[in-house]
Every structure is written in C-alpha cells, then in structure tokens.
Amino acid sequence: TWIKTVAIPSNLEEQTVKQQRIAFAFTLTYLWVMMVLLGSILFDTLVLYPDIFHDVPRSLETAMEFMAVRGPGDFFPPLGMLSWLTGIGSLVLNWRVKSARYWILGSLIMIVCQGLVSMAFFWPRNTIMFAEGTAVHSAAYLQQTAQEFQTGHWVRVAFNAAASALAFVGFLKFYRHRITSQYSNTET
C-alpha cells in the first residue's frame, strides 16, 4: 500500500520563497530601469544630439525652443536615481547569491560612476550651453563646450552600456540560481 505524505513547508522555507520573490522583483526592476536608461541615452546620442550640436550656438537656441516644456534634464536625474536605488536593493537582496553578486555590484559601480561623471562634468556644461548661452558666453566658447560635451558623452555611453550588460548578466545568474535552488528543494 502507498501512503501519501504531504510535505508542509516550514516557516523558514516560506520566508526563503518570499525573499526570493522580492529579490526577483527588485532585480528585474533594476534590469528594466537599466535597459530604459540605455535606450534613452542611445536615443539622445543618435537622434537628438546631431540636431542639438550641428550649428552651435544657433542649434542650442533651437533646441531650447524645442525643449521648452520638458527636456533631458527632467528625465535623466530621476531615472538615474531610480537606477541607483533599485541597484542597491538588488545588490542587498542578492548578496548571498555569489554567482550574481559581483555582476550586480559591477553594474551598480558603473552606473554610479556614470552619474557622478554627469554631475561633475556634464551638468556644468549643460548650464553653460543651455541656461547661460550667448547671453553670457561667446560663440567660440559655446562651440568648445559643445565639443567637450560630445566627446565626453561617449564615456557616459560606455559606462551606461557596461552597467546595462552587467545588470543583464547579473539577472541571468540570479535567475539561474533561483531555478536550480527550486529544483534542488523539490528533489529533497
């Protein structure tokens, strides 16, 4: 005769499952934010910046007229902060998953560096080009500033691409760990 036994998960197992679900949600959200950030910085780079910087200072003035209601400065700082917060949450919640830990940490380091470089290097140049403009600076100075901005921007794109790639690998490592740990728990 067969006697069926029902395995009732312990409170510890239920907590582990809840923690994994929360970690999954955070890690997936972090990955989503990073992909949105990468897509938006590539959009700016490939679609907006050629128009913004094609005939400085006139093109800067035209860009300001176009972006009278909203511009990149309204979008990127909040999204950047969201990437930091979800990245920190993802790192903390996945710290025990060694295979994912350093990928997520590397991603977080890259995106924090990108944000700090933006604050230190790009924000002052944005003020020069878009807030002060020709009222304060000569056309030659604005052209020089625009050239510095465009050249340095590729560093920002590289940081963002690296952060997004590392977040993607970290998510895959975490997901693999999650799946294999579920199978190993059901087999025991």
Side-chain angles (χ1 to χ4, degrees):
T1 63
W2 285 88
I3 299 175
K4 288 191 172 188
T5 58
V6 177
I8 300 173
S10 69
N11 193 26
L12 181 63
E13 287 175 0
E14 288 176 15
Q15 286 178 341
T16 302
V17 169
K18 280 184 182 179
Q19 287 173 344
Q20 279 190 346
R21 286 183 181 155
I22 293 168
F24 178 79
F26 247 91
T27 308
L28 184 61
T29 301
Y30 177 55
L31 176 61
W32 177 77
V33 168
M34 292 307 301
M35 292 302 155
V36 168
L37 199 53
L38 178 61
S40 57
I41 200 168
L42 289 174
F43 178 82
D44 273 7
T45 304
L46 302 173
V47 177
L48 293 181
Y49 286 176
D51 288 328
I52 292 172
F53 296 114
H54 85 279
D55 183 24
V56 174
R58 193 174 67 78
S59 58
L60 297 177
E61 292 170 1
T62 303
M64 288 306 298
E65 290 173 16
F66 175 72
M67 293 184 270
V69 176
R70 293 224 193 294
D74 299 314
F75 176 76
F76 284 108
L79 188 61
M81 184 56 67
L82 184 61
S83 73
W84 289 12
L85 295 174
T86 56
I88 291 167
S90 181
L91 182 64
V92 167
L93 292 168
N94 288 304
W95 190 256
R96 290 187 192 165
V97 183
K98 276 188 175 181
S99 60
R101 177 190 313 162
Y102 295 108
W103 294 99
I104 295 168
L105 177 62
S107 173
L108 185 57
I109 289 169
M110 289 287 115
I111 203 62
V112 167
C113 286
Q114 189 240 356
L116 295 175
V117 166
S118 290
M119 288 178 222
F121 183 79
F122 292 100
W123 291 7
R125 282 160 182 75
N126 281 340
T127 300
I128 291 167
M129 292 184 298
F130 299 110
E132 299 168 350
T134 54
V136 177
H137 303 286
S138 68
Y141 186 71
L142 289 172
Q143 290 167 349
Q144 174 190 343
T145 304
Q147 186 59 44
E148 292 170 357
F149 183 97
Q150 291 176 82
T151 302
H153 179 70
W154 290 106
V155 173
R156 194 161 52 170
V157 170
F159 274 130
N160 200 286
S164 297
L166 292 167
F168 182 70
V169 174
F171 174 78
L172 291 178
K173 297 285 185 180
F174 166 73
Y175 189 69
R176 180 181 202 142
H177 171 79
R178 183 175 181 229
I179 295 299
T180 56
S181 68
Q182 285 176 350
Y183 283 118
S184 67
N185 287 341
T186 58
E187 292 175 1
T188 58

